[in-house]
Structure formats: C-alpha cells, structure tokens
Amino acid sequence: MAEKPRFYDARITRIVDLSETVRHFVLDYAPEADTNFAAGQFLMVHLEKEGKPHKKSYSIASSPSLPKKIELCIKKVEGGYVSTWFFGLKEGDVIHTSLPYGVFTVKEPWQDDLVFVGTGTGVAPLRGMIQNLYEKGCQKNIWLIFGNRYETDILYLDEWRALEKKHGNFHFIPTVSRSATWTGEKAYVQDVVKKTFAGRTEGLDFYGCGLVPMCQQLKAALLEMGLPKERIHFEQFT
C-alpha cells in the first residue's frame, strides 16, 4: 500500500544557477516535519493558478540523508506555469509541498551492477540515488550515462568528476549531441548504452529518467540487447 503523503511548508534557503535554464533549489523544513522518502521519489509543489489549486511534481535531486532538507533541479520551460513561478522565487520564500510519491527507487539488495541513464533534468532522481548508494557503502560498479545537447548543459559536472576520483567503481560517461567542440561521446544515450554494454546482458540493472521519447528508445534498445524487462526501471517526464 502506498504511503500517505505528508504536507509541509518549506523555506527556500539556496538557489544556484546550474545552466542558463536550470536552477538548483534547496528547501529547508521545520524540525518537526517528517521528510522521510526513498532516493528516486518525487514531491508535489502546491500553488494557485487563476485562483484555483494547482500542483506539479518534481523529482527529488538529493539523498534522504540530508537532515530536513530536500533539493530540486528545475528547468525553466517555455510557457511552463510552475517552472516560471519557481524562477521568480528568491531565497527566503516559503512554498507548500507534499511528499513522498513514486516507485522509481533502487531495488535492494544490490545483486547486480547499476547503470543510470538520464537526459537533462532527468538526472535529478539519479543524483539522489547515486549519492545514497555510496552513503550505504555500495561496492557494485555504478555507471552514469548522461545525455545533453551541449557541454554547458551538463548538470552537476564537478560533482560527477569528484565522485569518479573518489570511487574507482563509479564510471561517468557524458554524451553531448550538438556541440562542435566537444571531444567526448556525441551519440544519443541509447547508442552509448549499446556501445558500452555490447555483448553484456548479465548482471546489470538499468535505471532511466528523462522525457518519454528517450525512455521509450532506451527501453527498446535494452530489450533488443536481450535485457530482461525486470532489470529495466524508468521514470518518464512529459
């Protein structure tokens, strides 16, 4: 049975520009708030639109280990009511939220190596999952294949590079589709997956997050590679 969501106000204590269109928001909750969630889940933001209640879901971009804090990674969408509203907020503002929701979580115990595949802000729940795996002492090989249009769009790049240096079992593969100067991978994420794991279908668990078309193409590629359905997990954005 799904956990009943809990409703709390949160104060925005930090806003960081990650790119021209994406911002990182840190939400602080009161000491008595029960902010427990599983890495990969999402929360709901509640506001008004034309005088009526309105809500929007956002994946939680942080690990559950943060005390009474939750981080969000939000892209300003052209014509997007809630994202535009978020980009008008400032540090110190209070918003109304409810949590937790969703079943996109890492399956335990970890029996296989873990492959995370994301595009754009689809990396948000993957960030929380990967942080949490290392906090729990995961020794499995962990890959993050992260697709963007340009290298300036690669969110949390310094974090991924630092994680690579700290953990020999973390493999970061950024891929950029539209840059003229990028010297790394330039293919779509599903093609990078096919190339990286060619001939290997055993001992891998895949977690993908991004827009619906990417998730569908990735799923098709994995099934074509012979990966069992139960090893393919997705969270799709529209």
Side-chain angles (χ1 to χ4, degrees):
M1 197 170 152
E3 191 176 354
K4 193 177 178 185
R6 305 177 296 271
F7 291 76
Y8 298 109
D9 284 344
R11 185 176 299 278
I12 297 171
T13 53
R14 193 158 176 248
I15 301 173
V16 181
D17 285 334
L18 297 180
S19 74
E20 284 185 8
T21 57
V22 180
R23 283 182 183 168
H24 179 85
F25 293 83
V26 179
L27 311 184
D28 270 42
Y29 288 82
E32 63 273 13
D34 177 4
T35 55
N36 286 326
F37 66 93
Q41 288 190 301
F42 62 91
L43 57 65
M44 208 70 79
V45 175
H46 299 265
L47 62 158
E48 281 197 352
K49 182 179 181 182
E50 294 164 1
K52 294 178 182 174
H54 188 69
K55 62 185 179 182
K56 171 81 174 169
S57 60
Y58 284 106
S59 289
I60 298 171
S62 50
S63 162
S65 66
L66 291 180
K68 309 300 177 185
K69 281 185 195 293
I70 280 177
E71 298 176 350
L72 302 177
C73 172
I74 298 176
K75 179 182 176 72
K76 188 176 184 181
V77 178
E78 195 72 37
Y81 183 80
V82 184
S83 69
T84 303
W85 174 80
F86 252 104
F87 270 61
L89 296 173
K90 58 191 185 300
E91 291 176 356
D93 285 346
V94 174
I95 64 174
H96 193 51
T97 67
S98 61
L99 75 158
Y101 301 88
V103 295
F104 183 59
T105 57
V106 174
K107 307 297 172 264
E108 294 186 33
W110 321 299
Q111 294 175 338
D112 302 300
D113 290 339
L114 301 119
V115 186
F116 296 91
V117 184
T119 49
T121 53
V123 81
L126 309 183
R127 178 178 181 258
M129 290 162 141
I130 292 167
Q131 286 176 349
N132 198 228
L133 283 166
Y134 282 112
E135 288 163 358
K136 291 177 173 180
C138 182
Q139 298 296 313
K140 299 290 182 184
N141 275 301
I142 298 172
W143 281 267
L144 172 61
I145 296 171
F146 187 18
N148 289 280
R149 291 179 177 180
Y150 300 97
E151 56 263 52
T152 49
D153 297 330
I154 304 173
L155 308 174
Y156 307 109
L157 178 59
D158 291 345
E159 280 186 27
W160 306 128
R161 294 296 187 207
L163 213 53
E164 266 188 318
K165 284 183 182 168
K166 189 175 178 183
H167 299 285
N169 64 333
F170 181 65
H171 316 281
F172 176 52
I173 307 177
T175 179
V176 167
S177 61
R178 296 195 182 178
S179 170
T181 53
W182 178 252
T183 54
E185 290 285 353
K186 288 187 175 178
Y188 289 119
V189 287
Q190 63 269 22
D191 297 319
V192 176
V193 165
K194 284 196 272 192
K195 176 178 150 184
T196 306
F197 301 101
R200 180 183 175 185
T201 54
E202 292 297 311
L204 293 171
D205 234 353
F206 279 83
Y207 294 84
C209 187
L211 295 171
V212 173
M214 181 283 277
C215 288
Q216 296 305 322
Q217 288 158 10
L218 177 59
K219 185 177 181 181
L222 293 173
L223 291 172
E224 193 184 304
M225 287 164 63
L227 216 75
K229 277 184 184 172
E230 59 271 17
R231 294 178 186 271
I232 304 171
H233 318 282
F234 283 104
E235 183 89 298
Q236 301 182 150
F237 294 165
T238 50

